[in-house]
Amino acid sequence: MTSDVTTGSGQEAADFARRTSTGLLQRVEDRLRSLLSAERETWAEVDERAVIPVDALSEMIASGGKRIRPAFAIAGYLAAGGDPEDPGIVAAGAALEMLHLALLIHDDVLDDSSQRRGLPTVHVKHMDVHRSNDWQGEDRRFGEGVAILVGALALAYSDELMSEAPASALPEWHKLRSEVMIGQYADVHAAAEFSVDPRLSRLIAKIKSGRYTIHRPLVVGAKAAGRGDLAPAFAEYGEAVGEAFQLRDDLLDAFGDSADTGKPAGLDFTQHKMTLLLGWAMQRDEHIHTLITEPGHTPDEVRRRLLDTGVPADVEKHIDGLVERGCKAIADAPVDQVWRDELAEMARRVAYRNA
């Protein structure tokens, strides 16, 4: 059975498309949970300690998340006419989410973040375990070591899951994985250097976040359905919407409420992340560099100074332009109108989210 949504009224087709996508996302969720449940059962027979890394991943899955990457892979697959009954797209979606878990866990170590989705991060939780048990060695070193290993386990599981996806999707998967790692390195390097370079900031936003979140998952889905010809249109859409996604992330970090985002506010400031928001602001006000790099200044001072530059408002306008560009890119794509509409709506959802 293929994803034929051209029959019936436009609303009926849209409803069918949405139900199909939702059903596949639920199957992704079930696949993730069943994999981790089976792994827990296997390792519980070995030693009670061996289940701890698996449990850490299960807890992250249970804590929520928007499942943006599987959602875009599924949209790309269905837009390309893929068969919703094929378990391969479910495996691909689960692989993308498992990779995302790995990157979040490692990101939290790199950023020294204490909270993720409203809960203690993996390294912080295990620092506390070490401390409360009065174990040998340094609690920080133990906690970060556990997080590195749990993240590596998620990477292993993501490859295992992707091995069940259509082989046609694998080249894009390999490109996605290496690209996001290089982007992560560039982000760390730029934070240490902390020089004003909006060109580099924009590049990092694209390869570390935008492509990995929107562009590549869409193409993974399309190629899994045998429609590699959709890659150019999805790339143009994904580059624009992916950049809008990252810029929203930058604004949420600077001005968002941690109760909504589930993580500490102002991490980009404390970790000296050279976001496009900060790069543009420091071009207008050199004092912002001092506020961020020298001790004694509060995040609220930085926020006030950023607002005074007018850059946050300019970033909002830039996001508007990116969403418009993404919608135009998909408007002429050789897919059913229902999927053009759905992808346009998805662009708006990720660009204007509040968490």
Side-chain angles (χ1 to χ4, degrees):
M1 182 178 90
T2 59
S3 57
D4 182 6
V5 295
T6 58
T7 58
S9 70
Q11 188 57 53
E12 287 173 344
D15 290 344
F16 178 78
R18 192 69 58 83
R19 284 197 307 273
T20 306
S21 297
T22 301
L24 282 170
L25 271 175
Q26 184 56 56
R27 287 170 60 193
V28 167
E29 199 77 16
D30 294 343
R31 183 71 185 90
L32 289 166
R33 291 171 187 265
S34 66
L35 169 68
L36 294 172
S37 177
E39 284 294 296
R40 191 186 200 286
E41 190 174 329
T42 296
W43 289 108
E45 294 177 3
V46 176
D47 187 271
E48 62 182 10
R49 300 170 190 84
V51 303
I52 291 172
V54 180
D55 285 347
L57 293 175
S58 295
E59 286 164 12
M60 286 199 72
I61 291 292
S63 69
K66 293 175 284 295
R67 311 295 190 251
I68 291 173
R69 291 144 198 91
F72 274 99
I74 287 167
Y77 180 78
L78 294 175
D83 179 0
E85 299 302 322
D86 188 336
I89 188 57
V90 174
L96 285 162
E97 188 63 23
M98 192 63 78
L99 172 65
H100 183 51
L101 290 189
L103 293 170
L104 290 182
I105 293 165
H106 287 169
D107 240 6
D108 288 338
V109 174
L110 292 170
D111 294 345
D112 195 22
S113 179
S114 61
Q115 195 177 55
R116 171 71 65 179
R117 296 174 180 170
L119 299 172
T121 51
V122 173
H123 69 282
V124 166
K125 177 178 177 178
H126 289 278
M127 282 170 60
D128 291 342
V129 169
H130 183 285
R131 195 179 300 121
S132 64
N133 284 286
D134 196 25
W135 287 343
Q136 299 298 308
E138 300 175 27
D139 54 12
R140 181 186 181 90
R141 197 166 173 81
F142 175 80
E144 292 180 349
V146 170
I148 289 168
L149 293 169
V150 172
L153 181 63
L155 285 174
Y157 288 151
S158 71
D159 260 355
E160 181 180 332
L161 287 161
M162 202 66 187
S163 70
E164 301 169 12
S168 54
L170 291 180
E172 198 70 19
W173 165 252
H174 295 316
K175 194 180 296 181
L176 180 157
R177 287 195 315 155
S178 57
E179 186 174 62
V180 72
M181 298 302 177
I182 296 295
Q184 290 280 69
Y185 167 75
D187 191 36
V188 169
H189 186 109
E193 195 174 330
F194 205 58
S195 61
V196 180
D197 187 352
R199 182 202 62 81
L200 178 60
S201 298
R202 194 169 184 183
L203 177 66
I204 291 169
K206 284 183 178 181
I207 64 176
K208 178 200 167 189
S209 182
R211 288 180 186 168
Y212 141 76
T213 302
I214 316 287
H215 169 191
R216 301 291 181 204
L218 268 174
V219 177
V220 164
K223 290 190 173 181
R227 289 287 306 277
D229 62 294
L230 290 174
F234 283 171
E236 190 176 349
Y237 166 92
E239 290 280 303
V241 179
E243 186 177 352
F245 170 87
Q246 183 55 47
L247 287 172
R248 177 60 57 198
D249 224 34
D250 296 343
L251 288 170
L252 286 170
D253 181 89
F255 301 104
D257 186 337
S258 60
D260 292 329
T261 63
K263 55 186 179 180
L267 271 178
D268 289 346
F269 303 156
T270 59
Q271 297 302 313
H272 304 154
K273 291 297 180 75
M274 184 45 70
T275 63
L276 192 59
L277 169 69
L278 285 177
W280 281 352
M282 285 192 289
Q283 282 185 320
R284 298 184 189 180
D285 183 351
E286 294 180 0
H287 187 59
I288 290 174
H289 189 286
T290 303
L291 282 174
I292 291 173
T293 56
E294 293 185 4
H297 301 288
T298 67
D300 282 341
E301 288 180 88
V302 179
R303 291 185 188 99
R304 284 195 297 271
R305 201 87 183 197
L306 282 172
L307 289 170
D308 289 342
T309 67
V311 165
D314 288 346
V315 169
E316 289 286 3
K317 291 176 188 173
H318 189 50
I319 289 172
D320 292 342
L322 289 166
V323 171
E324 184 179 352
R325 195 179 108 205
C327 291
K328 282 182 180 177
I330 210 67
D332 297 324
V335 299
D336 290 342
Q337 182 62 46
V338 66
W339 290 109
R340 293 183 207 142
D341 294 342
E342 179 64 15
L343 286 167
E345 178 58 28
M346 290 175 77
R348 289 186 281 269
R349 284 203 299 268
V350 300
Y352 300 114
R353 71 195 193 281
N354 66 353

